[in-house]
Coordinates of all heavy atoms in Angstrom, one line a residue:
M18 N -24.2 27.5 2.7 CA -23.5 26.5 1.9 C -22.6 25.6 2.9 O -21.9 26.1 3.7 CB -22.6 27.2 0.9 CG -21.7 26.3 0.1 SD -20.7 27.3 -1.0 CE -20.2 26.0 -2.1
V19 N -22.8 24.3 2.8 CA -22.1 23.4 3.7 C -20.9 22.8 2.9 O -21.0 22.3 1.8 CB -23.0 22.3 4.1 CG1 -22.3 21.3 5.0 CG2 -24.2 22.8 4.9
V20 N -19.7 23.0 3.6 CA -18.5 22.4 2.9 C -18.1 21.2 3.7 O -17.9 21.2 4.9 CB -17.4 23.5 3.0 CG1 -16.1 22.9 2.4 CG2 -17.8 24.7 2.3
K21 N -18.0 20.1 3.0 CA -17.6 18.8 3.6 C -16.1 18.8 3.6 O -15.4 19.1 2.6 CB -18.1 17.6 2.8 CG -19.6 17.4 2.9 CD -20.0 16.2 2.1 CE -21.5 15.9 2.2 NZ -21.9 14.7 1.4
S22 N -15.5 18.4 4.7 CA -14.1 18.2 4.7 C -13.8 16.8 4.1 O -14.4 15.8 4.4 CB -13.5 18.2 6.1 OG -13.9 17.1 6.8
Q23 N -12.9 16.8 3.1 CA -12.6 15.6 2.4 C -11.3 15.0 3.0 O -10.2 15.4 2.5 CB -12.5 15.8 0.9 CG -13.8 16.1 0.3 CD -13.7 16.0 -1.2 OE1 -12.6 16.1 -1.8 NE2 -14.8 15.8 -1.8
K24 N -11.4 14.2 4.0 CA -10.2 13.6 4.6 C -9.8 12.4 3.7 O -10.6 11.7 3.2 CB -10.6 13.0 6.0 CG -9.5 12.4 6.7 CD -9.9 11.9 8.0 CE -8.8 11.1 8.7 NZ -9.2 10.4 9.9
T25 N -8.5 12.4 3.5 CA -7.9 11.3 2.6 C -8.1 10.0 3.3 O -7.7 9.8 4.5 CB -6.4 11.6 2.3 OG1 -6.3 12.9 1.7 CG2 -5.9 10.5 1.4
P26 N -8.7 9.0 2.6 CA -8.9 7.7 3.2 C -7.6 6.9 3.4 O -6.6 7.2 2.8 CB -9.8 7.0 2.2 CG -9.6 7.6 0.9 CD -9.2 9.0 1.2
S27 N -7.7 6.0 4.3 CA -6.5 5.1 4.6 C -6.3 4.3 3.3 O -7.2 4.2 2.5 CB -6.7 4.2 5.8 OG -7.7 3.3 5.5
F28 N -5.1 3.6 3.2 CA -4.8 2.8 2.1 C -5.9 1.7 2.0 O -6.4 1.4 0.9 CB -3.4 2.1 2.3 CG -3.1 1.1 1.2 CD1 -2.7 1.5 0.0 CD2 -3.3 -0.2 1.5 CE1 -2.4 0.6 -1.0 CE2 -3.0 -1.2 0.5 CZ -2.5 -0.8 -0.8
E29 N -6.2 1.0 3.1 CA -7.2 -0.1 3.1 C -8.5 0.4 2.6 O -9.2 -0.3 1.8 CB -7.3 -0.7 4.4 CG -6.0 -1.4 4.9 CD -4.9 -0.5 5.4 OE1 -5.2 0.7 5.6 OE2 -3.8 -1.0 5.6
V30 N -9.0 1.5 3.1 CA -10.3 2.0 2.7 C -10.3 2.4 1.2 O -11.2 2.1 0.4 CB -10.7 3.2 3.5 CG1 -11.9 3.9 3.0 CG2 -10.9 2.8 5.0
A31 N -9.2 3.1 0.7 CA -9.1 3.5 -0.7 C -9.1 2.3 -1.6 O -9.7 2.2 -2.6 CB -7.9 4.4 -0.9
L32 N -8.3 1.3 -1.2 CA -8.2 0.0 -2.0 C -9.5 -0.7 -2.1 O -9.9 -1.1 -3.2 CB -7.1 -0.9 -1.4 CG -6.8 -2.2 -2.2 CD1 -6.4 -1.8 -3.6 CD2 -5.8 -3.0 -1.5
A33 N -10.2 -0.8 -1.0 CA -11.5 -1.5 -1.0 C -12.5 -0.7 -1.9 O -13.3 -1.3 -2.7 CB -12.1 -1.5 0.4
E34 N -12.5 0.6 -1.8 CA -13.4 1.4 -2.7 C -13.0 1.2 -4.2 O -13.9 1.1 -5.0 CB -13.4 2.9 -2.3 CG -14.4 3.7 -3.1 CD -14.5 5.1 -2.7 OE1 -13.9 5.5 -1.6 OE2 -15.1 5.9 -3.5
L35 N -11.7 1.2 -4.4 CA -11.2 1.1 -5.8 C -11.6 -0.3 -6.3 O -12.1 -0.4 -7.5 CB -9.7 1.2 -5.8 CG -9.0 1.0 -7.2 CD1 -9.5 2.0 -8.2 CD2 -7.5 1.1 -7.0
E36 N -11.5 -1.3 -5.5 CA -12.0 -2.7 -6.0 C -13.5 -2.7 -6.3 O -13.9 -3.3 -7.3 CB -11.7 -3.7 -4.9 CG -10.2 -4.0 -4.8 CD -9.8 -4.9 -3.6 OE1 -10.7 -5.0 -2.7 OE2 -8.7 -5.4 -3.6
Q37 N -14.3 -1.9 -5.5 CA -15.7 -1.9 -5.8 C -16.0 -1.1 -7.1 O -16.8 -1.5 -7.8 CB -16.4 -1.2 -4.6 CG -17.9 -1.2 -4.7 CD -18.5 -2.6 -4.8 OE1 -18.2 -3.5 -4.0 NE2 -19.3 -2.9 -5.9
V38 N -15.3 0.0 -7.3 CA -15.4 0.8 -8.5 C -15.1 -0.1 -9.7 O -15.9 -0.1 -10.7 CB -14.5 2.0 -8.5 CG1 -14.4 2.7 -9.9 CG2 -15.0 3.0 -7.5
V39 N -14.0 -0.9 -9.7 CA -13.6 -1.7 -10.8 C -14.7 -2.8 -11.0 O -15.1 -3.1 -12.1 CB -12.3 -2.4 -10.5 CG1 -11.9 -3.5 -11.5 CG2 -11.2 -1.3 -10.5
A40 N -15.2 -3.4 -9.9 CA -16.2 -4.4 -10.0 C -17.5 -3.9 -10.7 O -18.1 -4.5 -11.6 CB -16.5 -5.0 -8.7
D41 N -17.9 -2.7 -10.3 CA -19.1 -2.0 -10.8 C -18.9 -1.8 -12.3 O -19.8 -1.9 -13.1 CB -19.4 -0.7 -10.1 CG -19.9 -0.9 -8.7 OD1 -20.2 -2.0 -8.3 OD2 -19.8 0.1 -7.9
M42 N -17.7 -1.3 -12.7 CA -17.4 -1.0 -14.1 C -17.4 -2.3 -15.0 O -17.8 -2.3 -16.1 CB -16.1 -0.2 -14.3 CG -16.3 1.2 -13.7 SD -14.8 2.1 -13.9 CE -14.8 2.5 -15.7
E43 N -16.8 -3.4 -14.4 CA -16.7 -4.6 -15.1 C -18.1 -5.3 -15.4 O -18.2 -6.0 -16.4 CB -15.8 -5.6 -14.3 CG -14.4 -5.3 -14.4 CD -13.5 -6.3 -13.6 OE1 -14.0 -7.0 -12.7 OE2 -12.3 -6.3 -13.9
V44 N -19.0 -5.0 -14.6 CA -20.4 -5.5 -14.8 C -20.9 -5.0 -16.1 O -21.7 -5.6 -16.9 CB -21.3 -5.2 -13.6 CG1 -22.7 -5.6 -13.9 CG2 -20.8 -6.0 -12.4
G45 N -20.6 -3.7 -16.4 CA -21.0 -3.1 -17.7 C -22.4 -2.5 -17.7 O -22.9 -2.3 -18.8
K46 N -23.0 -2.3 -16.6 CA -24.4 -1.8 -16.5 C -24.4 -0.3 -16.2 O -25.5 0.2 -16.0 CB -25.2 -2.6 -15.5 CG -25.4 -4.1 -16.0 CD -26.3 -4.8 -15.0 CE -26.5 -6.2 -15.5 NZ -27.4 -7.0 -14.7
L47 N -23.3 0.3 -16.1 CA -23.3 1.8 -15.8 C -23.5 2.6 -17.1 O -23.1 2.2 -18.2 CB -21.9 2.2 -15.2 CG -21.5 1.6 -13.9 CD1 -20.1 2.0 -13.5 CD2 -22.5 2.0 -12.8
S48 N -24.2 3.7 -17.0 CA -24.4 4.6 -18.1 C -23.0 5.2 -18.5 O -22.1 5.1 -17.7 CB -25.4 5.7 -17.7 OG -24.8 6.5 -16.8
L49 N -22.9 5.8 -19.6 CA -21.7 6.4 -20.0 C -21.2 7.5 -19.0 O -20.1 7.5 -18.6 CB -21.9 7.1 -21.4 CG -20.6 7.8 -21.9 CD1 -19.5 6.9 -22.1 CD2 -21.0 8.5 -23.3
E50 N -22.2 8.3 -18.5 CA -21.8 9.3 -17.6 C -21.4 8.7 -16.2 O -20.4 9.1 -15.6 CB -23.0 10.3 -17.3 CG -22.6 11.5 -16.5 CD -23.7 12.5 -16.5 OE1 -24.3 12.8 -17.6 OE2 -23.9 13.1 -15.5
D51 N -22.1 7.7 -15.8 CA -21.7 7.0 -14.6 C -20.3 6.3 -14.7 O -19.5 6.3 -13.8 CB -22.7 6.0 -14.1 CG -24.0 6.7 -13.6 OD1 -23.9 7.9 -13.2 OD2 -25.0 6.0 -13.6
S52 N -20.1 5.8 -15.9 CA -18.8 5.1 -16.2 C -17.7 6.1 -16.1 O -16.6 5.8 -15.5 CB -18.8 4.4 -17.5 OG -19.7 3.4 -17.6
L53 N -17.9 7.3 -16.7 CA -16.8 8.3 -16.6 C -16.6 8.8 -15.2 O -15.4 9.0 -14.8 CB -17.2 9.5 -17.5 CG -17.2 9.3 -19.0 CD1 -17.8 10.5 -19.7 CD2 -15.8 9.0 -19.4
S54 N -17.7 8.9 -14.4 CA -17.5 9.3 -13.0 C -16.8 8.2 -12.2 O -15.9 8.5 -11.4 CB -18.9 9.6 -12.4 OG -19.5 10.7 -12.9
A55 N -17.1 7.0 -12.5 CA -16.5 5.9 -11.8 C -15.0 5.8 -12.2 O -14.1 5.6 -11.3 CB -17.2 4.6 -12.1
Y56 N -14.7 6.1 -13.5 CA -13.3 6.0 -13.9 C -12.5 7.2 -13.2 O -11.4 6.9 -12.8 CB -13.2 6.2 -15.4 CG -11.8 6.1 -16.0 CD1 -11.3 4.9 -16.3 CD2 -11.1 7.3 -16.1 CE1 -10.0 4.8 -16.8 CE2 -9.8 7.2 -16.6 CZ -9.2 5.9 -16.9 OH -8.0 5.9 -17.4
R57 N -13.1 8.3 -13.1 CA -12.5 9.5 -12.5 C -12.2 9.2 -11.0 O -11.1 9.4 -10.5 CB -13.4 10.7 -12.6 CG -12.7 12.0 -12.1 CD -13.6 13.2 -12.4 NE -14.0 13.4 -13.8 CZ -15.2 13.3 -14.3 NH1 -16.2 13.0 -13.5 NH2 -15.5 13.4 -15.5
R58 N -13.2 8.6 -10.3 CA -13.0 8.2 -8.9 C -12.0 7.2 -8.8 O -11.1 7.2 -7.8 CB -14.4 7.8 -8.3 CG -14.3 7.4 -6.9 CD -13.8 8.6 -6.0 NE -13.7 8.2 -4.6 CZ -13.0 8.8 -3.7 NH1 -12.3 9.9 -4.0 NH2 -13.0 8.3 -2.5
G59 N -12.0 6.2 -9.7 CA -11.0 5.1 -9.6 C -9.5 5.7 -9.8 O -8.6 5.3 -9.1
A60 N -9.4 6.7 -10.7 CA -8.1 7.3 -10.9 C -7.7 8.0 -9.6 O -6.5 8.0 -9.2 CB -8.1 8.3 -12.1
E61 N -8.6 8.7 -8.9 CA -8.3 9.4 -7.7 C -7.8 8.4 -6.6 O -6.9 8.6 -5.9 CB -9.5 10.2 -7.2 CG -9.9 11.3 -8.0 CD -11.2 11.9 -7.6 OE1 -11.9 11.4 -6.7 OE2 -11.6 12.9 -8.2
L62 N -8.6 7.3 -6.5 CA -8.3 6.3 -5.5 C -6.9 5.6 -5.8 O -6.2 5.3 -4.9 CB -9.4 5.2 -5.5 CG -10.7 5.7 -4.9 CD1 -11.8 4.7 -5.2 CD2 -10.6 6.0 -3.4
L63 N -6.6 5.4 -7.1 CA -5.4 4.8 -7.5 C -4.2 5.7 -7.0 O -3.2 5.3 -6.5 CB -5.3 4.5 -9.0 CG -4.1 3.9 -9.5 CD1 -3.8 2.5 -8.9 CD2 -4.2 3.7 -11.0
Q64 N -4.4 7.0 -7.2 CA -3.4 8.0 -6.9 C -3.2 8.0 -5.3 O -2.0 8.0 -4.9 CB -3.8 9.4 -7.3 CG -2.7 10.4 -7.1 CD -3.2 11.8 -7.7 OE1 -4.3 12.0 -8.0 NE2 -2.2 12.7 -7.8
I65 N -4.2 7.9 -4.6 CA -4.2 7.8 -3.1 C -3.4 6.5 -2.7 O -2.5 6.6 -1.9 CB -5.6 7.8 -2.5 CG1 -6.2 9.2 -2.7 CG2 -5.5 7.4 -1.0 CD1 -7.7 9.2 -2.3
C66 N -3.7 5.4 -3.3 CA -3.1 4.1 -2.9 C -1.6 4.2 -3.3 O -0.8 3.8 -2.5 CB -3.8 3.0 -3.7 SG -5.4 2.6 -3.0
R67 N -1.3 4.7 -4.5 CA 0.1 4.8 -4.8 C 0.9 5.7 -3.9 O 2.0 5.4 -3.5 CB 0.3 5.3 -6.3 CG 0.0 4.2 -7.3 CD 0.2 4.8 -8.7 NE 0.0 3.7 -9.7 CZ -0.2 3.9 -11.0 NH1 -0.2 5.2 -11.4 NH2 -0.4 2.9 -11.8
G68 N 0.3 6.8 -3.5 CA 0.9 7.7 -2.6 C 1.2 7.1 -1.3 O 2.3 7.3 -0.7
R69 N 0.2 6.4 -0.8 CA 0.4 5.7 0.5 C 1.5 4.6 0.5 O 2.3 4.5 1.4 CB -0.9 5.0 1.0 CG -2.1 6.0 1.2 CD -2.0 6.6 2.5 NE -3.2 7.3 2.8 CZ -3.4 8.2 3.8 NH1 -2.4 8.4 4.6 NH2 -4.5 8.8 3.9
L70 N 1.5 3.9 -0.6 CA 2.6 2.9 -0.8 C 4.0 3.5 -0.9 O 4.9 3.0 -0.3 CB 2.3 2.0 -2.0 CG 1.2 1.0 -1.9 CD1 0.9 0.3 -3.3 CD2 1.5 0.0 -0.9
E71 N 4.1 4.6 -1.6 CA 5.3 5.3 -1.8 C 5.8 5.8 -0.4 O 7.0 5.8 0.0 CB 5.2 6.5 -2.8 CG 5.2 6.0 -4.2 CD 4.8 7.1 -5.2 OE1 4.7 8.3 -4.8 OE2 4.6 6.8 -6.4
D72 N 4.9 6.4 0.4 CA 5.2 6.8 1.8 C 5.7 5.7 2.6 O 6.7 5.8 3.3 CB 4.0 7.4 2.4 CG 3.6 8.8 1.8 OD1 4.3 9.4 1.1 OD2 2.4 9.2 2.1
A73 N 5.0 4.5 2.5 CA 5.5 3.3 3.3 C 6.8 2.9 2.8 O 7.7 2.5 3.7 CB 4.4 2.2 3.2
Q74 N 7.1 2.9 1.5 CA 8.4 2.5 1.0 C 9.5 3.4 1.5 O 10.6 3.0 1.9 CB 8.4 2.4 -0.5 CG 7.6 1.3 -1.1 CD 7.5 1.3 -2.6 OE1 7.5 2.4 -3.2 NE2 7.4 0.1 -3.2
Q75 N 9.2 4.7 1.6 CA 10.2 5.7 2.0 C 10.5 5.4 3.5 O 11.6 5.5 3.9 CB 9.7 7.1 1.8 CG 10.6 8.2 2.2 CD 12.0 8.1 1.5 OE1 12.1 7.6 0.4 NE2 13.0 8.6 2.2
Q76 N 9.5 5.1 4.3 CA 9.7 4.9 5.7 C 10.5 3.6 5.9 O 11.4 3.6 6.8 CB 8.3 4.7 6.4 CG 7.6 6.0 6.6 CD 6.2 5.8 7.2 OE1 6.0 4.8 7.9 NE2 5.3 6.8 7.0
V77 N 10.3 2.6 5.1 CA 11.1 1.4 5.2 C 12.6 1.7 4.8 O 13.5 1.2 5.5 CB 10.5 0.3 4.3 CG1 11.5 -0.9 4.2 CG2 9.2 -0.2 4.8
R78 N 12.8 2.5 3.8 CA 14.1 2.9 3.4 C 14.9 3.6 4.5 O 16.0 3.3 4.8 CB 14.1 3.8 2.2 CG 14.0 3.0 0.9 CD 14.1 4.0 -0.3 NE 13.3 3.5 -1.4 CZ 12.2 4.0 -1.8 NH1 11.7 5.1 -1.2 NH2 11.5 3.5 -2.8
I79 N 14.1 4.5 5.2 CA 14.7 5.2 6.3 C 15.1 4.3 7.4 O 16.2 4.4 8.0 CB 13.8 6.3 6.8 CG1 13.7 7.4 5.7 CG2 14.2 6.9 8.1 CD1 12.6 8.4 6.0
L80 N 14.2 3.3 7.7 CA 14.5 2.4 8.8 C 15.6 1.5 8.5 O 16.4 1.1 9.3 CB 13.2 1.6 9.1 CG 12.1 2.3 9.7 CD1 10.8 1.5 9.8 CD2 12.4 2.8 11.1
E81 N 15.7 1.1 7.2 CA 16.8 0.2 6.8 C 18.2 0.8 6.7 O 19.2 0.2 6.8 CB 16.5 -0.4 5.4 CG 15.4 -1.5 5.5 CD 15.1 -2.0 4.1 OE1 15.4 -1.4 3.1 OE2 14.5 -3.1 4.0
E82 N 18.2 2.1 6.5 CA 19.4 2.8 6.3 C 20.4 2.7 7.4 O 20.2 3.2 8.5 CB 19.1 4.3 6.1 CG 20.0 5.0 5.1 CD 19.5 6.4 4.8 OE1 19.8 7.3 5.5 OE2 18.8 6.5 3.8
G83 N 21.4 1.8 7.2 CA 22.4 1.7 8.2 C 22.0 0.8 9.4 O 22.9 0.6 10.2
T84 N 20.8 0.4 9.5 CA 20.4 -0.4 10.7 C 20.2 -1.9 10.4 O 20.5 -2.7 11.2 CB 19.1 0.1 11.3 OG1 18.1 0.1 10.4 CG2 19.3 1.5 11.8
L85 N 19.8 -2.2 9.2 CA 19.5 -3.6 8.8 C 20.6 -4.1 7.9 O 21.0 -3.3 7.0 CB 18.1 -3.8 8.2 CG 17.0 -3.4 9.0 CD1 15.7 -3.5 8.3 CD2 16.9 -4.2 10.3
Q86 N 21.0 -5.3 8.0 CA 22.0 -5.8 7.1 C 21.5 -7.0 6.4 O 20.5 -7.7 6.9 CB 23.3 -6.3 7.9 CG 24.0 -5.1 8.7 CD 25.1 -5.6 9.4 OE1 25.4 -6.8 9.5 NE2 25.9 -4.7 10.0
N87 N 22.1 -7.3 5.3 CA 21.7 -8.5 4.5 C 22.1 -9.7 5.4 O 23.1 -9.8 6.0 CB 22.5 -8.5 3.2 CG 22.1 -9.6 2.3 OD1 21.4 -10.5 2.7 ND2 22.4 -9.5 1.0
F88 N 21.3 -10.8 5.4 CA 21.5 -11.9 6.2 C 22.8 -12.6 5.8 O 23.5 -13.2 6.7 CB 20.4 -13.0 6.0 CG 19.1 -12.5 6.7 CD1 17.9 -12.3 6.0 CD2 19.1 -12.4 8.1 CE1 16.8 -11.9 6.6 CE2 17.9 -12.0 8.7 CZ 16.8 -11.7 8.0
S89 N 23.3 -12.5 4.6 CA 24.5 -13.2 4.2 C 25.7 -12.6 4.8 O 26.8 -13.2 4.9 CB 24.6 -13.2 2.6 OG 24.7 -11.9 2.2
T90 N 25.6 -11.3 5.2 CA 26.8 -10.7 5.8 C 26.9 -10.9 7.3 O 27.9 -10.6 8.0 CB 26.7 -9.1 5.6 OG1 25.6 -8.6 6.3 CG2 26.7 -8.8 4.2
N91 N 25.9 -11.6 7.9 CA 25.9 -11.9 9.3 C 26.9 -13.1 9.5 O 26.7 -14.2 9.0 CB 24.5 -12.3 9.7 CG 24.3 -12.5 11.2 OD1 25.3 -12.5 12.0 ND2 23.1 -12.5 11.7
P92 N 27.9 -12.9 10.4 CA 28.9 -13.9 10.6 C 28.4 -15.2 11.4 O 29.0 -16.2 11.3 CB 30.0 -13.2 11.5 CG 29.2 -12.1 12.1 CD 28.1 -11.7 11.2
T93 N 27.2 -15.1 12.0 CA 26.7 -16.2 12.7 C 25.7 -17.0 11.8 O 24.8 -16.4 11.3 CB 25.9 -15.7 14.0 OG1 26.7 -14.8 14.7 CG2 25.4 -16.8 14.8
S94 N 26.0 -18.3 11.7 CA 25.1 -19.1 10.9 C 24.1 -19.8 11.7 O 24.2 -19.8 12.9 CB 26.0 -20.1 10.1 OG 26.5 -21.1 11.0
V95 N 23.1 -20.4 11.1 CA 22.1 -21.1 11.8 C 22.7 -22.3 12.6 O 22.3 -22.5 13.7 CB 21.0 -21.6 10.8 CG1 20.0 -22.5 11.5 CG2 20.3 -20.5 10.1
S96 N 23.7 -22.9 12.0 CA 24.3 -24.1 12.8 C 25.0 -23.6 14.0 O 25.0 -24.3 15.0 CB 25.2 -24.9 11.8 OG 26.3 -24.0 11.4
D97 N 25.6 -22.4 13.9 CA 26.3 -21.8 15.1 C 25.3 -21.5 16.2 O 25.5 -21.8 17.4 CB 27.0 -20.5 14.8 CG 28.2 -20.7 13.9 OD1 28.7 -21.9 13.8 OD2 28.7 -19.8 13.2
F98 N 24.1 -21.0 15.8 CA 23.0 -20.8 16.7 C 22.6 -22.1 17.4 O 22.4 -22.1 18.6 CB 21.9 -20.1 16.0 CG 20.7 -19.7 17.0 CD1 20.9 -18.6 17.9 CD2 19.6 -20.5 17.0 CE1 19.8 -18.3 18.7 CE2 18.5 -20.1 17.8 CZ 18.7 -19.1 18.7
A99 N 22.4 -23.1 16.6 CA 22.0 -24.4 17.1 C 23.0 -24.9 18.2 O 22.6 -25.5 19.2 CB 21.7 -25.4 16.0
K100 N 24.3 -24.8 17.9 CA 25.3 -25.2 18.8 C 25.2 -24.5 20.1 O 25.3 -25.1 21.2 CB 26.7 -25.0 18.2 CG 27.0 -25.9 17.1 CD 28.4 -25.6 16.5 CE 28.6 -26.4 15.2 NZ 29.8 -26.0 14.5
R101 N 24.9 -23.2 20.1 CA 24.8 -22.4 21.3 C 23.6 -22.9 22.1 O 23.6 -22.8 23.3 CB 24.8 -21.0 21.0 CG 26.2 -20.4 20.8 CD 26.1 -18.9 20.6 NE 25.6 -18.6 19.3 CZ 25.3 -17.4 18.8 NH1 25.4 -16.4 19.6 NH2 24.9 -17.3 17.6
E102 N 22.5 -23.2 21.4 CA 21.3 -23.7 22.1 C 21.6 -25.0 22.9 O 21.0 -25.2 23.9 CB 20.2 -23.9 21.0 CG 19.7 -22.7 20.4 CD 18.6 -22.0 21.3 OE1 17.7 -22.7 21.8 OE2 18.7 -20.8 21.4
D103 N 22.4 -25.9 22.3 CA 22.7 -27.1 23.0 C 23.6 -27.0 24.2 O 23.6 -27.8 25.1 CB 23.5 -28.1 22.0 CG 22.5 -28.5 20.8 OD1 21.3 -28.4 21.0 OD2 23.1 -28.9 19.8
D104 N 24.4 -25.9 24.3 CA 25.3 -25.7 25.4 C 24.6 -25.4 26.7 O 23.5 -25.0 26.9 CB 26.3 -24.5 25.1 CG 27.2 -24.9 24.0 OD1 27.4 -26.1 23.8 OD2 27.8 -24.0 23.4

């Protein structure tokens, strides 16, 4: 018995496959069984994409925590920067 390792695809690969699954289903030429299989695979791919996006959002939150500030709180304005450029 051969066991295939199922590596989780990257976000881009999962999204491309999900788009293809949706396109195949929208055509309406799949049998009922094939439609159910496609729907099941689409749900799996959607879960993978959501997970990858949540991971990326969490990484951004960590990076922003205490290191990035809102532009409006920056005491230096664009006109101040332009003045320094002229000097």
Side-chain angles (χ1 to χ4, degrees):
M18 178 180 194
V19 177
V20 178
K21 291 183 180 179
S22 69
Q23 290 192 337
K24 182 180 174 188
T25 304
S27 68
F28 174 80
E29 293 78 9
V30 170
L32 183 60
E34 186 179 344
L35 178 58
E36 289 172 342
Q37 185 59 55
V38 167
V39 170
D41 292 344
M42 291 181 74
E43 286 179 339
V44 172
K46 294 186 179 181
L47 296 176
S48 68
L49 178 60
E50 191 168 318
D51 289 342
S52 292
L53 290 172
S54 294
Y56 184 87
R57 188 176 302 114
R58 180 62 180 156
E61 292 170 356
L62 293 166
L63 182 59
Q64 186 176 14
I65 291 168
C66 288
R67 283 183 177 163
R69 298 279 189 194
L70 285 173
E71 288 170 5
D72 290 346
Q74 288 174 331
Q75 181 61 27
Q76 289 178 19
V77 168
R78 279 188 211 103
I79 290 169
L80 291 171
E81 286 180 338
E82 213 169 85
T84 58
L85 299 178
Q86 297 179 355
N87 189 343
F88 287 117
S89 63
T90 62
N91 189 348
T93 306
S94 69
V95 174
S96 60
D97 292 341
F98 181 75
K100 288 176 188 173
R101 281 187 279 174
E102 290 277 316
D103 293 338
D104 292 339

